[in-house]
Amino acid sequence: MQPDYDLIVHGICFADLIYGQVPHLPAPGEEVHCGAFGFSGGGAFITAVAAARLGLKVAILSPFGQGPLEQVVKGLLESEGVDTQWAYQSPDPLPFVTVAINHGGDRGFLTYESSQHHAAFQAHCLRVVNEVSAAWLHLGAHPHTLPLVELALKKNIQVSMGTAWDPEWLQDPDLIHLIACSHLFLANRQEAEAITRTHSLRAAGQALEALAPRFAITNADQGGLYRELASPPRPFASDPTPVVDSTGAGDNFTAGVLAGLINGATFRQAVDLGSYCGRQSVRGFGGTSTAARLADANHYLEPAGWALRPFTHRLHAID
């Protein structure tokens, strides 16, 4: 039976204010004028929108409040075809805001994350996953997500997860347990090395073999490593791409990998598509301004002899 959704994306949708062409970082009391600015959704927003643009039917499982920024981000999701009906709606303002400063080839962040309604949101998520069917659930691994992961597994929903940069959490035994519960773990090189307490991409990949049955580790424009079930980790390449803003590159990679797997691709094919999606995303400000669309992805895939199909086409094929 066809599920209600290809993908449920769980997590926080931030309002991202992105500054570029910053001549230098401001000293206390100093005002610095930059040469570029962008506004976008961030966090779970990026994965959800990038996946929807690739033809997946996507629902977002995120908290939203009544404040102006939250409602703008929610409206942007809806304009991209992401279903927001299962989102948690707070009666109060519930701002989640990140300021990203691109300077010197790297980024710095200033983030505000509301802690209101946390318990109510988690209870809401369990109710939704219990009620709604989906092929995949994607989430960021946190201590409070274990009950959600266990429920998804009970319902035979495939679980993919990434994690954020938090040195203490990255070496927490609870994270190792969560990774072992997933069908697919995705991380960048720095995160993978911190989790495995190693100091090279190869060593991190070897150590993750004992933790995750299937994983992909990205290493910026140098490609990365992937592992398919019982196979040893293998490298994948990435073509050099001029970087305007690397915000959300990993989230676009995730969307591409999941779109490939949901469309029946091999894991190697899915990783290649994910790498393409990551490269496309860094060409503009924000995680979705240049995120690949279905036609772009299929043009890229044409030489490989396969293509993505939108949810409605796959549904009719089953019928």
Coordinates of all heavy atoms in Angstrom, one line a residue, residues 272-319:
D272 N 25.5 9.8 -5.3 CA 25.9 10.7 -6.4 C 24.9 11.8 -6.7 O 25.3 13.0 -6.9 CB 26.0 9.8 -7.7 CG 26.5 10.7 -8.9 OD1 27.6 11.2 -8.8 OD2 25.8 10.8 -9.9
L273 N 23.6 11.5 -6.6 CA 22.6 12.5 -6.7 C 22.6 13.5 -5.5 O 22.5 14.7 -5.7 CB 21.2 11.9 -6.8 CG 20.0 12.9 -6.8 CD1 20.0 13.8 -8.0 CD2 18.7 12.1 -6.7
G274 N 22.9 13.0 -4.3 CA 23.0 13.9 -3.2 C 24.2 14.8 -3.3 O 24.1 16.0 -3.0
S275 N 25.3 14.3 -3.9 CA 26.4 15.2 -4.1 C 26.1 16.3 -5.1 O 26.5 17.4 -4.9 CB 27.6 14.3 -4.6 OG 28.8 15.1 -4.7
Y276 N 25.4 15.9 -6.1 CA 25.0 17.0 -7.1 C 24.1 18.0 -6.4 O 24.3 19.2 -6.6 CB 24.2 16.3 -8.2 CG 23.4 17.3 -9.1 CD1 24.1 18.0 -10.1 CD2 22.1 17.4 -8.9 CE1 23.3 18.9 -10.8 CE2 21.3 18.3 -9.7 CZ 21.9 19.0 -10.6 OH 21.2 19.9 -11.4
C277 N 23.2 17.6 -5.6 CA 22.2 18.5 -5.0 C 23.0 19.4 -4.0 O 22.7 20.6 -3.9 CB 21.2 17.8 -4.2 SG 20.0 16.9 -5.3
G278 N 24.0 18.9 -3.3 CA 24.8 19.7 -2.4 C 25.6 20.8 -3.2 O 25.7 21.9 -2.7
R279 N 26.1 20.4 -4.3 CA 26.9 21.3 -5.1 C 26.0 22.4 -5.7 O 26.4 23.6 -5.7 CB 27.6 20.6 -6.3 CG 28.6 19.6 -5.9 CD 29.5 19.2 -7.1 NE 28.8 18.6 -8.2 CZ 28.5 17.3 -8.3 NH1 28.8 16.5 -7.3 NH2 27.8 16.9 -9.4
Q280 N 24.8 22.1 -6.1 CA 23.9 23.1 -6.6 C 23.5 24.1 -5.5 O 23.4 25.3 -5.8 CB 22.6 22.4 -7.1 CG 22.7 21.6 -8.4 CD 23.2 22.5 -9.5 OE1 24.3 22.5 -10.0 NE2 22.2 23.2 -10.1
S281 N 23.4 23.7 -4.3 CA 22.9 24.5 -3.2 C 23.9 25.6 -2.8 O 23.4 26.7 -2.3 CB 22.5 23.7 -2.0 OG 23.6 23.3 -1.3
V282 N 25.2 25.4 -3.0 CA 26.1 26.4 -2.5 C 26.3 27.5 -3.5 O 27.1 28.5 -3.2 CB 27.5 25.7 -2.2 CG1 27.4 24.6 -1.2 CG2 28.2 25.2 -3.5
R283 N 25.6 27.5 -4.6 CA 25.7 28.6 -5.6 C 25.0 29.8 -5.3 O 25.1 30.9 -6.0 CB 25.3 28.1 -7.0 CG 26.2 26.9 -7.5 CD 25.8 26.5 -8.9 NE 24.4 26.0 -9.0 CZ 23.5 26.7 -9.7 NH1 23.8 27.8 -10.4 NH2 22.2 26.2 -9.7
G284 N 24.1 29.8 -4.2 CA 23.3 31.0 -3.9 C 23.2 31.1 -2.4 O 23.6 30.2 -1.6
F285 N 22.7 32.2 -1.9 CA 22.6 32.5 -0.5 C 21.4 31.7 0.1 O 20.3 31.5 -0.5 CB 22.3 34.0 -0.2 CG 23.5 34.8 -0.1 CD1 23.8 35.7 -1.1 CD2 24.4 34.6 1.0 CE1 25.0 36.5 -1.0 CE2 25.6 35.4 1.1 CZ 25.9 36.3 0.1
G286 N 21.6 31.1 1.2 CA 20.6 30.3 1.9 C 20.6 28.9 1.4 O 21.2 28.6 0.3
G287 N 19.9 28.0 2.1 CA 20.0 26.6 1.7 C 19.1 26.2 0.5 O 19.2 25.0 0.0
T288 N 18.2 27.0 0.1 CA 17.2 26.6 -0.9 C 17.2 27.5 -2.1 O 16.5 27.2 -3.1 CB 15.8 26.5 -0.4 OG1 15.4 27.7 0.2 CG2 15.8 25.4 0.7
S289 N 17.9 28.6 -2.1 CA 17.7 29.6 -3.3 C 18.2 29.0 -4.6 O 17.6 29.3 -5.6 CB 18.5 30.9 -3.0 OG 19.9 30.6 -2.9
T290 N 19.2 28.1 -4.6 CA 19.6 27.4 -5.8 C 19.5 25.9 -5.7 O 20.1 25.2 -6.4 CB 21.0 27.8 -6.2 OG1 21.9 27.5 -5.1 CG2 21.1 29.3 -6.5
A291 N 18.6 25.4 -4.7 CA 18.4 24.0 -4.6 C 17.9 23.4 -5.9 O 17.0 24.0 -6.5 CB 17.5 23.7 -3.4
A292 N 18.4 22.2 -6.2 CA 18.0 21.6 -7.5 C 16.5 21.3 -7.5 O 15.9 20.9 -6.5 CB 18.8 20.3 -7.6
R293 N 15.9 21.5 -8.7 CA 14.5 21.1 -9.0 C 14.5 19.8 -9.8 O 15.5 19.3 -10.3 CB 13.8 22.2 -9.7 CG 13.7 23.5 -8.9 CD 13.0 24.6 -9.6 NE 12.9 25.8 -8.8 CZ 12.1 26.1 -7.8 NH1 11.1 25.2 -7.5 NH2 12.1 27.2 -7.1
L294 N 13.3 19.2 -9.9 CA 13.2 17.9 -10.5 C 13.7 17.9 -11.9 O 14.5 17.0 -12.3 CB 11.7 17.5 -10.5 CG 11.4 16.2 -11.1 CD1 12.0 15.1 -10.2 CD2 9.8 16.0 -11.1
A295 N 13.4 18.9 -12.7 CA 13.9 18.9 -14.1 C 15.4 19.0 -14.1 O 16.1 18.4 -15.0 CB 13.3 20.1 -14.9
D296 N 16.0 19.8 -13.2 CA 17.5 19.9 -13.2 C 18.1 18.6 -12.8 O 19.1 18.2 -13.5 CB 17.9 21.0 -12.1 CG 17.3 22.3 -12.3 OD1 17.2 22.7 -13.5 OD2 16.9 23.0 -11.3
A297 N 17.6 18.0 -11.8 CA 18.1 16.7 -11.4 C 18.0 15.6 -12.5 O 19.0 14.9 -12.7 CB 17.4 16.2 -10.1
N298 N 16.9 15.6 -13.1 CA 16.7 14.6 -14.2 C 17.6 14.8 -15.4 O 18.1 13.9 -16.1 CB 15.3 14.5 -14.6 CG 14.5 13.6 -13.6 OD1 15.0 12.8 -12.9 ND2 13.2 13.8 -13.6
H299 N 17.9 16.1 -15.7 CA 18.9 16.4 -16.7 C 20.2 15.9 -16.3 O 21.0 15.4 -17.2 CB 18.9 17.9 -17.0 CG 19.9 18.3 -18.0 ND1 19.7 18.1 -19.4 CD2 21.1 19.0 -17.9 CE1 20.7 18.6 -20.0 NE2 21.6 19.1 -19.2
Y300 N 20.6 16.1 -15.1 CA 21.9 15.6 -14.6 C 22.0 14.1 -14.6 O 23.0 13.5 -15.0 CB 22.1 16.1 -13.2 CG 23.3 15.5 -12.5 CD1 24.6 15.9 -12.8 CD2 23.1 14.4 -11.5 CE1 25.7 15.3 -12.1 CE2 24.2 13.8 -10.9 CZ 25.5 14.3 -11.2 OH 26.6 13.7 -10.6
L301 N 20.8 13.4 -14.3 CA 20.8 11.9 -14.2 C 20.7 11.3 -15.6 O 20.9 10.1 -15.7 CB 19.6 11.5 -13.4 CG 19.7 11.9 -11.9 CD1 18.4 11.5 -11.2 CD2 20.9 11.2 -11.2
E302 N 20.3 12.0 -16.6 CA 20.1 11.4 -17.9 C 21.2 10.5 -18.4 O 21.0 9.4 -18.9 CB 19.7 12.5 -18.9 CG 19.2 12.0 -20.3 CD 18.7 13.1 -21.2 OE1 18.7 14.3 -20.7 OE2 18.4 12.8 -22.3
P303 N 22.5 11.0 -18.3 CA 23.6 10.1 -18.8 C 23.7 8.8 -18.0 O 24.2 7.8 -18.5 CB 24.8 11.0 -18.6 CG 24.3 12.4 -18.6 CD 23.0 12.3 -18.0
A304 N 23.2 8.8 -16.8 CA 23.3 7.6 -15.9 C 22.2 6.7 -16.2 O 22.2 5.5 -15.7 CB 23.3 8.0 -14.5
G305 N 21.2 7.1 -17.0 CA 20.1 6.2 -17.4 C 19.0 6.0 -16.5 O 18.3 5.0 -16.6
W306 N 18.8 6.9 -15.5 CA 17.7 6.8 -14.6 C 17.1 8.1 -14.3 O 17.8 9.2 -14.6 CB 18.0 6.0 -13.4 CG 19.0 6.6 -12.4 CD1 20.3 6.8 -12.5 CD2 18.6 7.3 -11.2 NE1 20.9 7.4 -11.5 CE2 19.9 7.7 -10.6 CE3 17.5 7.5 -10.5 CZ2 19.9 8.4 -9.4 CZ3 17.5 8.1 -9.2 CH2 18.7 8.6 -8.7
A307 N 16.0 8.2 -13.7 CA 15.3 9.5 -13.5 C 14.5 9.4 -12.2 O 14.0 8.4 -11.8 CB 14.5 9.9 -14.7
L308 N 14.2 10.6 -11.6 CA 13.3 10.7 -10.5 C 11.9 10.9 -11.1 O 11.7 11.5 -12.1 CB 13.6 12.0 -9.7 CG 15.0 12.0 -9.0 CD1 15.2 13.3 -8.3 CD2 15.2 10.9 -8.1
R309 N 10.9 10.3 -10.4 CA 9.5 10.5 -10.7 C 8.8 11.1 -9.5 O 9.0 10.7 -8.4 CB 8.9 9.2 -11.1 CG 9.4 8.5 -12.4 CD 8.7 7.2 -12.7 NE 8.9 6.3 -11.6 CZ 8.1 5.2 -11.4 NH1 7.1 5.0 -12.2 NH2 8.4 4.4 -10.4
P310 N 7.9 12.1 -9.8 CA 7.2 12.7 -8.7 C 6.2 11.7 -8.1 O 5.9 10.7 -8.7 CB 6.4 13.9 -9.3 CG 6.4 13.6 -10.8 CD 7.6 12.8 -11.1
F311 N 5.8 12.0 -6.9 CA 4.9 11.1 -6.1 C 3.7 10.6 -6.9 O 3.4 9.5 -6.9 CB 4.5 11.8 -4.8 CG 3.6 11.0 -3.9 CD1 4.1 10.1 -3.0 CD2 2.2 11.2 -3.9 CE1 3.3 9.3 -2.2 CE2 1.4 10.4 -3.1 CZ 1.9 9.5 -2.2
T312 N 3.0 11.6 -7.5 CA 1.8 11.2 -8.2 C 2.1 10.2 -9.3 O 1.3 9.3 -9.6 CB 1.1 12.5 -8.8 OG1 2.1 13.2 -9.6 CG2 0.6 13.4 -7.7
H313 N 3.2 10.3 -10.0 CA 3.5 9.4 -11.1 C 3.8 8.0 -10.5 O 3.4 7.0 -11.1 CB 4.7 9.8 -11.9 CG 4.5 11.0 -12.7 ND1 5.3 11.5 -13.7 CD2 3.4 11.9 -12.7 CE1 4.8 12.6 -14.3 NE2 3.7 12.9 -13.7
R314 N 4.5 7.9 -9.4 CA 4.8 6.7 -8.8 C 3.5 6.0 -8.2 O 3.3 4.8 -8.3 CB 5.8 6.8 -7.7 CG 7.2 7.0 -8.2 CD 8.2 7.2 -7.1 NE 8.3 8.6 -6.6 CZ 8.0 9.0 -5.4 NH1 7.6 8.2 -4.5 NH2 8.2 10.3 -5.1
L315 N 2.6 6.9 -7.7 CA 1.3 6.4 -7.2 C 0.5 5.7 -8.3 O -0.1 4.6 -8.2 CB 0.5 7.5 -6.6 CG -0.8 7.2 -6.0 CD1 -0.7 6.2 -4.8 CD2 -1.5 8.5 -5.5
H316 N 0.4 6.4 -9.5 CA -0.3 5.9 -10.6 C 0.3 4.6 -11.2 O -0.4 3.7 -11.6 CB -0.4 6.9 -11.7 CG -1.2 8.1 -11.3 ND1 -1.1 9.3 -11.9 CD2 -2.3 8.2 -10.4 CE1 -1.9 10.2 -11.3 NE2 -2.7 9.5 -10.4
A317 N 1.6 4.5 -11.1 CA 2.3 3.3 -11.6 C 1.9 2.1 -10.7 O 1.7 1.0 -11.2 CB 3.8 3.5 -11.5
I318 N 1.8 2.3 -9.4 CA 1.3 1.2 -8.5 C -0.1 0.9 -8.8 O -0.5 -0.3 -8.8 CB 1.5 1.6 -7.0 CG1 3.0 1.7 -6.7 CG2 0.9 0.6 -6.1 CD1 3.3 2.3 -5.3
D319 N -1.0 1.9 -8.9 CA -2.4 1.6 -9.2 C -2.6 0.9 -10.5 O -3.4 0.0 -10.7 CB -3.2 2.9 -9.3 CG -3.2 3.6 -7.9 OD1 -3.0 2.9 -6.9 OD2 -3.5 4.8 -7.8

